[in-house]
Amino acid sequence: MILDDLRGAVRGEVLGDEQSLSKYSHDASIFEVKPQAVVQPLDVEDIKSLVRFATEKNEQGERVSLSGRAAGTDMSGGPLTESIVVDFMKHLNHVVSVSPEVNSQGVITGGSAVTEPGVFYRDFEKETMKVNLIMPSYPASRELCAIGGIVSNNSGGEKTLMFGKTEDYVSRLKVVLSDGNEYEFRSLSPEELAKKRELKTFEGEIYRKMFKLLEENYETIQRARPDVSKNSAGYFLWNVWDKKKFDLTKLFVGAQGTLGLITEVEFQLVPVKKHSRMVIVSLRNTDVVSEMINVILSFKPESFESYDDKTLKLAMKFAPELVRKLKKNIFVLAWEFLPSILAMLRIGFPKLVLLVEFNGDNEAELEEKTKEVAKALKRFRSPVRRTRSEEEGKEYWEIRRESFSLLRGHVKDRHTVPFIDDVIVKPEHLPEFLPKLDAILAPYKDKMIYTIAGHEGNGNFHIIPLMKIEDPETRALIPKISDAVYDLVLEYGGSITAEHNDGIIRTPYLTKMYGEGVVKLFEDTKNIFDPKGIFNPGKKVRGTLEYAMSHIRERW
């Protein structure tokens, strides 16, 4: 019945066959949630019609909701729903414009781009690179993910250390809200905000209620801001109003489509540097990592990543396949890695490998900077080497990115289980935090195979174990380990998710992180924008651990 009704409401495609419903029951998470229908809206008018359709159905007593979906690479279950999936990829997939800014010398210094949410990031970047510009907060899944997910998750990646997260680059949004109309959001001055609050419309009501909520709870909200450089947990209320500007784009970024459906995004862009060089550090232990990070950060690297000894062992175990991926002669590759191999023979297997990348337009200056970094790190008595070319640096990135994928391909009886996949603490805490994290995970080594890799400069680590998830005893470990890891993260003032967001897997833990008072403000925010609860329910607010555990996939 709902399929027929939907086909009468929109001009785009409506899918209800078993194959389609099965495909949209999954993302990159551990969950399976089967929708009633999938709609591929033709345009913004279709999205407006969908919202009005959902509202009418709810008024008639039918429980209908809408969950936006882009490329489906989310690891938290964010776009999964038992109701209607709104797929942006089929039609809302155009880069509208790319506008470079040129100085008086004719040099491109920055710019902006306007795009629809269903554009693959890889295609978006091709357009911006035509004028040597980039949106730098792309995630590691840059070849697979799409713009809608990047914005809705507040994504970050290897360049976040220098450039920040997606929230720092969204300057304007168009969103269809729960009254079925499209609105534009951008930063407003106090005078512009006053005019919005005077509107006798749903938009005016939004501004009045949000301003009241933020003003009356200003100190509480500011105290709730996690004391880390990256965060994707909860609604970012602390970013909206600073007494000088009022910017609701900061609220939609990272909201996982729970407040409205984004139809257009304007990003600010930055120029791409011509050259890069890398410094690689091998650490026998993590005792000096905090002090070393401070020294490295003083040189302002563009990227600062790490991988652990388990990742390096995987790289050695699957070396022939890595060589094939790199498309290089194994003897040439062995020669290039010889300094790292000799270091291992001298100090033993490193506990942690640090990858520090510098970018610039002057190759000689980069060479000099990496020499200075290597000299500054001598006092730590850890092997340090500098790459001789950008190509050589890519080989170390390949170890960081591909080792776990190779392991996953070889272990046939276990599956990737992201559930503690995105923790972050301030880097100064790492010497204490990392051994304690390993101590929590170590007792379960017979139940899961895992590596720890991440963005060392931010203190952000990704742990995505392989587990026999169909085993009830193994599944029961998920909340047990989550509780222990999140307690440790919060002990050090961190966030339970830096980049991957809440979705089904982490929404139940937001009260643990923020407390009941702040979560109540999240619920109030949701009610202001979505009083009938039609946008992606169960994410950000009112999600339960019982629901999450009952929707874990049993078959892959």
Side-chain angles (χ1 to χ4, degrees):
M1 182 71 73
I2 196 170
L3 296 176
D4 292 337
D5 291 347
L6 281 168
R7 289 184 180 115
V10 300
R11 292 168 296 142
E13 292 86 342
V14 176
L15 310 177
D17 60 284
E18 282 304 312
Q19 185 176 355
S20 294
L21 296 184
S22 176
K23 173 187 172 182
Y24 288 90
S25 296
H26 311 117
D27 54 4
S29 73
I30 60 176
F31 299 109
E32 180 171 36
V33 183
K34 187 177 180 179
Q36 287 181 282
V38 177
V39 178
Q40 297 170 327
L42 190 64
D43 52 21
V44 174
E45 291 306 313
D46 260 2
I47 295 174
K48 292 178 182 179
S49 297
L50 269 176
V51 173
R52 291 167 186 153
F53 172 87
T55 299
E56 290 170 7
K57 288 293 182 183
N58 278 278
E59 288 173 351
Q60 294 166 10
E62 295 184 46
R63 191 71 193 95
V64 174
S65 62
L66 306 171
S67 294
R69 180 179 175 121
T73 58
D74 185 86
M75 290 199 289
S76 74
L80 304 184
T81 178
E82 295 176 20
S83 193
I84 300 171
V85 172
V86 184
D87 179 7
F88 290 94
M89 301 298 290
K90 181 72 178 288
H91 299 295
L92 288 149
N93 56 11
H94 305 94
V95 177
V96 179
S97 64
V98 178
S99 306
E101 295 172 357
V102 183
N103 66 14
S104 57
Q105 285 78 44
V107 177
I108 294 174
T109 57
S112 62
V114 178
T115 180
E116 293 177 330
V119 177
F120 279 110
Y121 176 81
R122 61 178 186 252
D123 296 329
F124 176 74
E125 188 180 281
K126 286 175 187 174
E127 294 301 311
T128 65
M129 282 296 290
K130 288 177 181 177
V131 289
N132 198 47
L133 294 172
I134 196 170
M135 199 284 288
S137 67
Y138 59 80
S141 58
R142 56 184 291 170
E143 297 300 316
L144 304 172
C145 67
I147 295 299
I150 287 176
V151 174
S152 294
N153 276 346
N154 193 24
S155 293
E158 62 197 42
K159 292 188 180 295
T160 298
L161 177 64
M162 174 169 280
F163 291 105
K165 292 191 67 182
T166 300
E167 61 191 289
D168 300 307
Y169 294 92
V170 174
S171 56
R172 184 176 58 82
L173 290 172
K174 288 185 179 179
V175 187
V176 175
L177 297 183
S178 61
D179 66 339
N181 292 313
E182 184 185 50
Y183 298 95
E184 182 173 293
F185 295 96
R186 59 179 177 82
S187 179
L188 302 177
S189 67
E191 294 75 22
E192 291 171 317
L193 172 61
K195 290 179 181 178
K196 289 286 188 184
R197 291 168 60 201
E198 291 172 1
L199 296 174
K200 307 302 182 185
T201 61
F202 183 64
E203 182 185 18
E205 183 180 329
I206 291 284
Y207 278 102
R208 285 189 294 276
K209 289 182 176 179
M210 283 306 302
F211 179 76
K212 184 173 185 289
L213 183 146
L214 295 168
E215 271 288 286
E216 291 181 353
N217 301 280
Y218 189 82
E219 295 302 326
T220 298
I221 288 168
Q222 294 304 316
R223 285 195 301 270
R225 182 199 300 263
D227 188 20
V228 285
S229 59
K230 299 192 288 186
N231 174 57
S232 283
Y235 291 126
F236 313 150
L237 294 173
W238 39 84
N239 289 340
V240 177
W241 173 233
D242 63 359
K243 306 289 188 177
K244 296 177 183 176
K245 61 182 184 303
F246 192 93
D247 190 354
L248 287 175
T249 69
K250 303 294 187 184
L251 191 58
F252 286 104
V253 174
Q256 288 197 305
T258 59
L259 305 178
L261 294 172
I262 294 171
T263 55
E264 187 176 275
V265 184
E266 181 178 68
F267 288 114
Q268 294 302 301
L269 306 175
V270 300
V272 178
K273 303 292 177 61
K274 295 177 182 177
H275 306 288
S276 72
R277 289 290 184 276
M278 185 180 286
V279 175
I280 300 102
V281 188
S282 301
L283 293 176
R284 255 182 308 190
N285 58 63
T286 59
D287 294 349
V288 298
V289 70
S290 179
E291 190 179 354
M292 187 179 282
I293 286 172
N294 288 334
V295 172
I296 291 170
L297 290 179
S298 71
F299 288 92
K300 297 185 172 14
E302 190 159 302
S303 302
F304 186 180
E305 306 286 289
S306 70
Y307 52 81
D308 65 354
D309 51 347
K310 299 180 187 69
T311 306
L312 188 55
K313 288 173 184 175
L314 290 176
M316 296 177 71
K317 182 176 181 180
F318 302 125
E321 289 172 73
L322 269 176
V323 171
R324 284 197 293 273
K325 280 181 172 288
L326 290 166
K327 299 178 182 177
K328 296 192 77 169
N329 181 287
I330 191 166
F331 298 106
V332 172
L333 198 64
W335 176 255
E336 290 175 346
F337 276 99
L338 184 61
S340 296
I341 295 168
L342 292 174
M344 279 190 281
L345 292 174
R346 190 167 72 253
I347 71 164
F349 220 80
K351 187 72 176 172
L352 204 63
V353 177
L354 310 181
L355 308 179
V356 188
E357 188 173 76
F358 297 89
N359 297 68
D361 292 324
N362 187 308
E363 207 162 4
E365 288 179 4
L366 277 181
E367 288 284 346
E368 189 59 35
K369 176 168 270 192
T370 56
K371 284 181 184 177
E372 290 174 12
V373 174
K375 183 179 178 181
L377 295 176
K378 270 188 176 179
R379 64 188 174 93
F380 294 103
R381 301 184 181 279
S382 294
V384 179
R385 69 164 303 220
R386 300 182 298 117
T387 57
R388 292 157 290 190
S389 67
E390 183 173 350
E391 190 63 30
E392 192 178 340
K394 289 179 181 177
E395 293 157 7
Y396 284 91
W397 280 123
E398 203 70 23
I399 292 175
R400 160 79 168 81
R401 292 166 178 155
E402 295 296 335
S403 295
F404 191 80
S405 296
L406 290 171
L407 174 66
R408 184 173 55 194
H410 281 267
V411 180
K412 302 299 183 184
D413 63 338
R414 300 189 186 208
H415 308 284
T416 52
V417 183
F419 67 101
I420 46 167
D421 47 288
D422 191 34
V423 297
I424 181 171
V425 297
K426 293 180 79 169
E428 65 198 54
H429 299 310
L430 294 180
E432 292 182 13
F433 176 80
L434 288 175
K436 289 182 180 180
L437 176 63
D438 198 48
I440 290 171
L441 301 177
Y444 306 106
K445 286 180 179 176
D446 61 328
K447 294 288 188 181
M448 62 185 195
I449 304 169
Y450 67 93
T451 61
I452 300 176
H455 313 291
E456 190 82 16
N458 296 104
N460 175 204
F461 291 91
H462 300 312
I463 311 155
I464 307 176
L466 293 172
M467 303 170 73
K468 293 182 178 179
I469 197 66
E470 63 276 9
D471 173 26
E473 289 185 11
T474 301
R475 294 156 78 94
L477 292 177
I478 290 175
K480 183 177 181 180
I481 295 173
S482 295
D483 270 323
V485 170
Y486 293 156
D487 283 343
L488 177 66
V489 169
L490 299 176
E491 177 187 335
Y492 287 96
S495 169
I496 62 177
T497 175
E499 301 171 339
H500 298 172
N501 221 283
D502 301 313
I504 295 172
I505 193 65
R506 274 177 289 271
T507 292
Y509 292 94
L510 288 177
T511 301
K512 177 190 282 282
M513 178 170 169
Y514 289 111
E516 291 182 1
V518 173
V519 169
K520 174 64 166 56
L521 294 178
F522 292 164
E523 291 175 350
D524 291 343
T525 299
K526 169 72 169 174
N527 291 336
I528 288 169
F529 281 88
D530 185 20
K532 292 186 169 57
I534 64 172
F535 294 125
N536 208 14
K539 325 295 166 39
K540 295 291 180 183
V541 297
R542 295 187 281 275
T544 68
L545 187 59
E546 291 74 20
Y547 184 89
M549 294 301 295
S550 67
H551 285 82
I552 295 176
R553 294 177 67 173
E554 295 185 4
R555 298 179 304 279
W556 258 258

